[in-house]
Amino acid sequence: MCNGCVQKEYPDRGNTCLENGSYLMNYLCCASCHQRDFVLISNKATEDDDGEEIVTYDHVCKNCDHVIARHEYTFSVVDEYQEYTMLCMLCGKAEDSISVLPDDPRQSAPLF
């Protein structure tokens, strides 16, 4: 992973978790070849570990194959919620939780 390729290391992305793709707004240029071109995805792997789906891949410079960042995305179901996380020097860090029920109990107004 290369901190010379990004504007900000691990920017806070709130609840925006990317399973694939790249956050190009945070990409300066390749620190190795100094070109600002497309960022490719390589070495993509999906693993299912005890009900948790883990997707990992490398962000790579199109011109020189320099590894810009390693991306990790996780998905799991905990109780009645879908839990998402993302950690990547380029794309940032984020977490999200969504209810699997039609009405999210956390969003309900108290009756009294």
Side-chain angles (χ1 to χ4, degrees):
M1 297 191 301
C2 180
N3 59 0
C5 297
V6 298
Q7 290 181 23
K8 182 177 181 183
E9 293 181 29
Y10 303 100
D12 184 5
R13 298 290 307 280
N15 61 357
T16 302
C17 298
L18 303 175
E19 182 177 355
N20 56 36
S22 304
Y23 181 49
L24 297 179
M25 295 291 292
N26 193 36
Y27 180 54
L28 288 173
C29 70
C30 177
S32 181
C33 70
H34 305 289
Q35 299 290 316
R36 190 176 200 286
D37 209 336
F38 292 109
V39 175
L40 303 178
I41 292 174
S42 69
N43 300 325
K44 188 169 184 175
T46 303
E47 179 182 325
D48 194 355
D49 184 29
D50 260 351
E52 180 178 61
E53 179 185 355
I54 303 169
V55 177
T56 58
Y57 57 86
D58 294 330
H59 295 286
V60 178
C61 174
K62 174 187 169 193
N63 299 308
C64 69
D65 293 327
H66 173 74
V67 177
I68 297 162
R70 179 101 171 129
H71 190 101
E72 182 176 295
Y73 166 87
T74 62
F75 168 78
S76 61
V77 177
V78 178
D79 296 327
E80 297 174 343
Y81 296 93
Q82 295 176 333
E83 303 284 336
Y84 303 87
T85 63
M86 174 183 73
L87 185 64
C88 175
M89 184 182 290
L90 175 65
C91 298
K93 58 185 175 189
E95 293 181 351
D96 198 8
S97 178
I98 300 171
S99 175
V100 297
L101 301 173
D103 295 317
D104 189 342
R106 296 175 298 190
Q107 305 297 323
S108 302
L111 296 175
F112 300 99

